[in-house]
Amino acid sequence: CAKTRYFTLKKILLLVDTMTFAQKSKKLLISSGINAEIIKTQGSLSSNGCTFGVKIDYKDYFSAIRMLKNNEITFTVSGGDIF
């Protein structure tokens, strides 16, 4: 009998186009009690080569998405244990 392995996301990376948007996102998230960290992404995550990520815990995903959308910050989502 084969064992089934489950993959659990621990971190989510919210991708934004500029450092300014990354800083604004981090400030908004932290002000609402969500831990956030800015990282420069690798080229494979970005179509234009110049993207920044705001790393958050998976448990904060829905709150973070709502906050960024309410503040008209455009982003895409990436996730996994590699961040």
Side-chain angles (χ1 to χ4, degrees):
C1 182
K3 291 185 179 181
T4 302
R5 294 183 183 207
Y6 295 96
F7 179 73
T8 303
L9 292 176
K10 294 179 182 176
K11 299 290 182 183
I12 297 290
L13 191 62
L14 308 173
L15 303 172
V16 294
D17 290 335
T18 66
M19 177 57 93
T20 302
F21 279 121
Q23 291 169 333
K24 183 177 179 180
S25 299
K26 179 181 175 181
K27 185 177 178 179
L28 284 167
L29 295 170
I30 288 176
S31 72
S32 69
I34 297 172
N35 289 326
E37 176 186 350
I38 296 173
I39 64 170
K40 178 116 172 69
T41 62
Q42 299 174 1
S44 63
L45 293 176
S46 169
S47 60
N48 67 3
C50 188
T51 298
F52 296 87
V54 180
K55 183 169 64 170
I56 61 167
D57 290 332
Y58 182 72
K59 67 179 178 58
D60 296 319
Y61 175 74
F62 293 107
S63 298
I65 298 302
R66 186 171 35 257
M67 174 151 302
L68 296 181
K69 285 184 177 183
N70 288 344
N71 285 277
E72 300 180 357
I73 295 176
T74 303
F75 61 91
T76 56
V77 179
S78 180
D81 289 330
I82 60 171
F83 303 111

